[in-house]
Amino acid sequence: MVLLRHLLDIEDSESIDKKALSNGEVYIGIFKATLPHGKGKYIWCDGTVYKGDWEEGKMTGKGQIVWSSGGKYEGDFSGGYLHGIGTLIGHDGSEYRGAWRMNVRHGLGRKQYSNLDVYEGSWKEGMREGCGRYSWNSGNTYIGNWKGGKICGRGVMKWENGDLFDGFWINGLRHGSGVYRFADGGYYFGMWSMGLKDGKGTFYPAGTKHPSLRRWCSSLGCYESGRNLLSHSSSLNSEKTRVLIPNDMRSLSERMSINGIFRDSGRFSQGTVSLDENSSRCNPGSEFICREPSCMLSQTSDEGQSGVQDNCTVVYEREYMQGVLKNEKVKNTEPSRKTKQRNKFHVKETKRKSYVDIFQGHWSYYLMLSLQLGIRYTVGKITPVPMRGARDSDFGDRARIRMYFPRKGSQFTPPHYSIDFYWKDYCPMVFRNLREMFKLDAAEYMMSICGDDGLTELPSSGKSGSIFFLSHDDRFVIKTLKKFELKTLLKMLPKYYIHVGKHENTLITKIFGVHRITLRGGKKVRFVVMGNMFCTELRIHGRYDLKGSTQGRYTDKDKVGENTTLKDLDLAYEFHMDKLLRESLFKNIFLLCRQLSLDCSFLESQQIIDYSLLLGIHFRAPEQLRAILEPPATMPNHATLATSDGINSQGPLVIPPKGLLLVTHEPSSVSTAPGPHSRGDTLKANSLGEKEVDLLLPGTGRLRVQLGVNMPAQASHKLMQDEVDSAEIELFEVYDVVLYMGVIDILQEYKVKKKVEHACKSLKFDPQSISIVEPKLYAKRFINFLHKVFPQQP
């Protein structure tokens, strides 16, 4: 007994009892009535042993458990669970030190796997989630964000050969904007989609002056967070860390069963040692071993670029589609004499007053927070009201909800970190009905806009000076309005309500709410919430704002970026359909033009002009280019797929064959949820017996075809006048494409013509240059242009 007291650290004044159970298990220690309470030791039949603190029959406090299979945990327990800070050494040699919650890793912790890979960072529900650092035994390192055990979000990957990628990820693959730095000093700034280059980018050979990485990170709005990622791991060994584990470990107390003596009794089975079913059994960094070459054009590897001399002034502007180079433009970065003179004698332009001035330089944060507070309040207030049809009294400026939001909070509003503001919600019952009509759940609407992820400010090159925000899930766009635009919207709202209710396939922008924020100084910010037409399952490679006009409808090429919306004269493609698609979708092309005519007639009746067709184009890579996607020597092992640890191997790079396939619609195989822009029926095809159809993209997925959404076509490149002597190389002439379209900018009323003319004269512009025409002529010109873009001939 003396030895036992010493082993259990029990004082001489405390009594020790030994209780043998009928199933052969034994408890030795202190009791409180009939329950273990204090120090004690429990031995299971299979040899599993717990030694430590107990509280009313449950393991609570400090303790150590050793499983018969060799696994060992030492640390905090609570209520029979691994809960707090502790160290687990698995039977396979893996070791985890960090925080636990209810038997799962939750919080911050460090795990060394049996293959000597190491992860330090945040865990959630037993999986890597949040910020963390993963080091492979091969020398590769990733520092960044995780979600559900997979690399997801912003992060930096560095390979053992010195290559580095800094950008965005999804499911362990590069996805979104990023910078790839090569060991030889070259850089590629561009876009990726599911691990492949997809979209526009620029390659800077070694020795070429490239943009500031700090400035690039700042342009993403996350430089500070990126810097924190790189320094975060230094604090991961703190004793105050909190972390997670797999859900297969049930409560230890539930597994203890001592008849008549213990409650919730049972025993530890050997299954409790399998704490790492999701751990990697192979090198989880194998995906990244297959590194892309620095550059590739006409099957020429960039590795030959490593000999580029310092002070090189040549860069390569490129555009990719699913990893295949679509076109390239060689550009000399040395400033021309004309550019130098322009920079030297640059005249400072008059500063225009903007919302930045209104919010004293912090407008983005304050405006976003105020929007979220107001929308959460009004949607929550109007949703419980019984559903009814819209009345005349529900329209107009007087149909509103008003509320004051003081910073300290009030009887009706919560305290917040924005500035004091007054909130006004226009026509709440009408927009509640519209959201119902658009099949939008109120809870989803609030979570999308008012969730913790916040809103993203979008860059705007428009002449209106409006500010745009994007919801975190890309479903909604929020745009600031001028006073006359708000009046126009409220005036046309009754007819808009009728039109969208009557025409389910309308391509006119969905409007979900109109609001106003008033600051204590009396300054007002008005804005509208609309559906995002480009919230699509496929990446949009080209965006065009088409008005059917040639007057000033072009974009300065020096200002064209990855997400720039181009204009009529920038459209370098003609759209056609091959025989099969033309025969299949001829009726649908007619329906498209007919619906656009109906939408234009509605806008004409409301005296609206200057609206546009917003066109999005997704290009498909030809199958015959698969051979030049990667050099054969670097192709990955096709047998290696995604590991269970969430870090994917590259696997076979599947490029779809030429042609777009229409197949019979299967609701279970595609997403049938109404999108933020479209809500019409699935389109039908003649070739399939007038049945509803889906668009099949081999290697990518299956998509539901609706009017203006996922519409297949072919795009023929046409040589523009300014391309004759250009250094740009367009590698292909015909592309399979998927089109998206909708009618936007519907708040320009014709009666403002005189005001616009007056403003133009005051700014010394020619009023004729803006080409304002009457609504009837504008609609006619617009429709004629659309018939050229979408021919109806079978």
Side-chain angles (χ1 to χ4, degrees):
M1 281 294 182
V2 174
L3 179 61
L4 186 59
R5 284 181 182 275
H6 175 71
L7 292 174
L8 295 177
D9 193 22
I10 298 175
E11 296 179 1
D12 294 338
S13 59
E14 297 178 291
S15 62
I16 298 177
D17 292 325
K18 179 178 179 180
K19 188 73 174 180
L21 307 181
S22 59
N23 60 1
E25 296 174 353
V26 177
Y27 172 78
I28 306 172
I30 302 172
F31 282 82
K32 181 180 180 180
T34 60
L35 297 176
H37 189 85
K39 301 290 184 179
K41 179 178 181 180
Y42 193 93
I43 304 172
W44 284 264
C45 293
D46 65 353
T48 300
V49 177
Y50 170 78
K51 182 178 66 175
D53 297 331
W54 295 79
E55 186 174 308
E56 296 184 352
K58 295 184 179 181
M59 294 176 290
T60 301
K62 298 290 184 179
Q64 180 188 90
I65 186 168
V66 180
W67 287 272
S68 57
S69 60
K72 175 183 177 181
Y73 171 82
E74 184 173 359
D76 296 333
F77 290 79
S78 180
Y81 293 90
L82 278 61
H83 191 89
I85 305 298
T87 300
L88 173 69
I89 300 176
H91 68 282
D92 59 354
S94 62
E95 180 178 328
Y96 171 79
R97 297 175 182 268
W100 300 79
R101 187 177 74 176
M102 304 291 286
N103 287 350
V104 295
R105 291 181 285 267
H106 192 88
L108 293 178
R110 181 184 188 275
K111 179 172 181 179
Q112 178 172 305
Y113 295 87
S114 57
N115 63 355
L116 301 183
D117 289 355
V118 176
Y119 173 77
E120 299 176 277
S122 179
W123 300 75
K124 184 177 180 181
E125 301 299 331
M127 306 183 77
R128 296 180 292 270
E129 182 151 335
C131 180
R133 174 189 183 115
Y134 197 106
S135 301
W136 285 265
N137 57 24
S138 63
N140 299 337
T141 302
Y142 171 81
I143 305 176
N145 291 313
W146 300 74
K147 186 173 183 180
K150 301 179 181 180
I151 294 176
C152 192
R154 176 79 188 282
V156 179
M157 171 70 74
K158 185 175 182 180
W159 288 268
E160 82 284 355
N161 75 333
D163 285 5
L164 181 145
F165 175 79
D166 182 354
F168 291 91
W169 305 74
I170 188 169
N171 294 331
L173 297 170
R174 295 182 287 273
H175 189 85
S177 59
V179 176
Y180 198 103
R181 187 194 72 190
F182 303 94
D184 63 2
Y187 285 83
Y188 179 78
F189 291 72
M191 302 293 294
W192 278 259
S193 182
M194 301 308 293
L196 300 174
K197 291 177 184 173
D198 200 15
K200 295 180 180 178
T202 305
F203 173 66
Y204 297 85
T208 306
K209 184 178 180 180
H210 56 77
S212 165
L213 295 180
R214 179 185 295 266
R215 185 176 303 171
W216 176 82
C217 293
S218 298
S219 69
L220 298 178
C222 53
Y223 173 73
E224 288 300 324
S225 62
R227 182 174 62 184
N228 291 339
L229 292 181
L230 297 174
S231 61
H232 185 75
S233 59
S234 62
S235 63
L236 295 177
N237 295 323
S238 169
E239 286 300 320
K240 296 182 180 180
T241 57
R242 299 195 49 174
V243 189
L244 307 174
I245 287 191
N247 294 322
D248 63 326
M249 279 195 69
R250 300 193 303 269
S251 166
L252 304 185
S253 60
E254 289 178 355
R255 299 187 175 192
M256 300 177 60
S257 102
I258 305 177
N259 298 331
I261 299 180
F262 290 90
R263 296 177 306 187
D264 302 324
S265 60
R267 65 194 259 341
F268 286 111
S269 66
Q270 294 185 4
T272 59
V273 300
S274 62
L275 299 175
D276 299 308
E277 288 134 352
N278 292 328
S279 64
S280 174
R281 298 304 180 195
C282 59
N283 182 3
S286 57
E287 175 213 306
F288 307 104
I289 301 303
C290 174
R291 291 175 298 275
E292 55 192 302
S294 303
C295 148
M296 189 182 299
L297 176 61
S298 302
Q299 303 184 15
T300 301
S301 172
D302 270 342
E303 294 174 359
Q305 295 287 347
S306 59
V308 177
Q309 298 295 322
D310 289 344
N311 302 319
C312 176
T313 60
V314 176
V315 301
Y316 302 87
E317 294 183 350
R318 294 174 174 158
E319 185 173 1
Y320 288 85
M321 48 184 179
Q322 297 93 58
V324 174
L325 186 61
K326 177 175 175 284
N327 60 52
E328 178 181 80
K329 181 179 180 181
V330 181
K331 185 177 179 181
N332 194 318
T333 59
E334 185 176 0
S336 64
R337 181 179 179 183
K338 185 176 180 180
T339 303
K340 291 179 179 179
Q341 290 178 345
R342 184 168 62 247
N343 293 338
K344 183 176 180 180
F345 299 103
H346 176 70
V347 179
K348 187 176 182 179
E349 298 179 357
T350 303
K351 182 180 178 182
R352 295 173 57 190
K353 190 171 184 178
S354 69
Y355 294 111
V356 176
D357 305 312
I358 295 176
F359 284 88
Q360 302 174 344
H362 301 286
W363 64 271
S364 182
Y365 172 73
Y366 289 142
L367 180 57
M368 179 188 74
L369 197 56
S370 301
L371 292 177
Q372 292 178 310
L373 287 166
I375 291 176
R376 185 184 295 117
Y377 173 80
T378 51
V379 173
K381 185 177 180 67
I382 196 66
T383 300
V385 176
M387 189 68 180
R388 61 171 176 80
R391 304 167 183 166
D392 291 342
S393 58
D394 294 325
F395 295 92
D397 183 53
R398 294 186 178 275
R400 61 188 184 270
I401 293 177
R402 302 181 67 178
M403 181 53 62
Y404 175 54
F405 284 79
R407 187 184 181 95
K408 294 182 179 179
S410 67
Q411 180 182 355
F412 304 103
T413 63
H416 57 84
Y417 294 100
S418 184
I419 55 180
D420 296 349
F421 68 94
Y422 292 89
W423 173 263
K424 187 174 182 179
D425 183 61
Y426 292 96
C427 309
M429 182 56 72
V430 174
F431 285 108
R432 181 259 178 91
N433 288 359
L434 283 173
R435 290 192 290 268
E436 293 278 350
M437 190 185 301
F438 295 148
K439 303 174 185 176
L440 176 64
D441 181 73
E444 291 182 6
Y445 182 61
M446 283 199 293
M447 286 300 298
S448 179
I449 296 178
C450 308
D452 295 336
D453 293 325
L455 304 172
T456 302
E457 183 191 355
L458 298 176
S460 174
S461 58
K463 298 178 181 179
S464 66
S466 296
I467 298 170
F468 294 83
F469 289 97
L470 185 67
S471 64
H472 74 92
D473 55 5
D474 295 343
R475 296 181 65 187
F476 304 102
V477 174
I478 300 174
K479 175 187 176 184
T480 57
L481 299 176
K482 291 182 170 58
K483 185 176 181 179
F484 77 85
E485 292 178 317
L486 174 62
K487 289 185 176 180
T488 300
L489 176 53
L490 294 177
K491 179 181 177 182
M492 68 179 288
L493 187 58
K495 297 295 183 181
Y496 173 88
Y497 183 85
I498 295 173
H499 181 78
V500 298
K502 182 178 180 181
H503 301 285
E504 190 177 41
N505 289 319
T506 181
L507 297 177
I508 292 179
T509 304
K510 285 183 181 180
I511 301 177
F512 298 99
V514 181
H515 316 283
R516 188 184 77 184
I517 291 173
T518 304
L519 307 182
R520 294 192 65 176
K523 295 179 180 179
K524 301 179 176 74
V525 182
R526 307 163 186 89
F527 56 93
V528 59
V529 182
M530 305 175 291
N532 179 18
M533 200 192 84
F534 291 148
C535 179
T536 62
E537 296 174 87
L538 298 177
R539 176 169 178 76
I540 303 296
H541 296 108
R543 298 167 170 82
Y544 294 88
D545 182 299
L546 306 175
K547 294 183 182 294
S549 171
T550 58
Q551 187 69 42
R553 300 296 297 163
Y554 64 91
T555 307
D556 185 350
K557 288 193 174 182
D558 292 335
K559 297 180 180 179
V560 174
E562 170 64 25
N563 296 318
T564 302
T565 300
L566 305 176
K567 301 178 182 178
D568 299 61
L569 294 179
D570 302 317
L571 186 60
Y573 302 96
E574 295 176 346
F575 298 101
H576 306 281
M577 290 189 177
D578 62 23
K579 184 177 180 181
L580 178 60
L581 286 177
R582 193 164 59 240
E583 291 175 352
S584 298
L585 296 177
F586 167 66
K587 182 178 179 180
N588 296 319
I589 296 175
F590 172 77
L591 290 175
L592 173 64
C593 293
R594 180 174 178 273
Q595 184 59 58
L596 286 170
S597 296
L598 290 172
D599 292 339
C600 289
S601 296
F602 161 70
L603 295 173
E604 177 188 338
S605 69
Q606 300 303 303
Q607 294 292 292
I608 302 297
I609 60 171
D610 208 37
Y611 46 87
S612 309
L613 179 75
L614 187 60
L615 177 67
I617 307 174
H618 170 81
F619 290 92
R620 302 301 297 169
E623 189 271 342
Q624 64 268 25
L625 300 177
R626 178 176 177 177
I628 69 171
L629 184 58
E630 274 187 308
T634 64
M635 289 295 288
N637 182 359
H638 289 190
T640 307
L641 301 176
T643 68
S644 59
D645 217 17
I647 305 176
N648 299 321
S649 299
Q650 187 81 9
L653 295 171
V654 181
I655 300 299
K658 184 175 181 180
L660 299 170
L661 305 178
L662 294 176
V663 295
T664 304
H665 174 59
E666 293 183 5
S668 60
S669 301
V670 296
S671 173
T672 56
H677 172 68
S678 63
R679 63 190 177 101
D681 296 330
T682 305
L683 296 185
K684 300 178 180 179
N686 302 346
S687 61
L688 296 178
E690 287 297 318
K691 294 181 179 179
E692 294 181 338
V693 294
D694 296 333
L695 178 62
L696 186 62
L697 303 175
T700 300
R702 182 173 182 149
L703 306 172
R704 183 186 180 197
V705 182
Q706 295 172 275
L707 205 63
V709 179
N710 298 325
M711 296 192 69
Q714 287 184 332
S716 300
H717 179 259
K718 56 183 180 181
L719 189 65
M720 308 296 283
Q721 185 63 36
D722 58 353
E723 292 179 338
V724 176
D725 300 321
S726 173
E728 182 171 358
I729 304 172
E730 182 80 19
L731 298 182
F732 313 104
E733 294 298 327
V734 180
Y735 304 90
D736 292 324
V737 296
V738 182
L739 303 179
Y740 302 85
M741 62 198 73
V743 178
I744 61 170
D745 295 339
I746 60 172
L747 300 179
Q748 182 74 38
E749 196 172 7
Y750 177 65
K751 73 177 184 179
V752 304
K753 176 181 179 181
K754 293 188 180 298
K755 295 182 180 179
V756 175
E757 288 178 343
H758 177 73
C760 288
K761 289 179 180 179
S762 65
L763 295 173
K764 298 182 180 180
F765 288 137
D766 179 7
Q768 298 300 322
S769 66
I770 58 176
S771 185
I772 295 182
V773 297
E774 296 180 357
K776 186 174 182 178
L777 295 177
Y778 189 93
K780 182 177 180 181
R781 186 183 71 185
F782 187 74
I783 291 298
N784 288 339
F785 170 75
L786 295 180
H787 280 296
K788 294 179 181 179
V789 176
F790 306 104
Q792 298 186 44
Q793 293 78 16

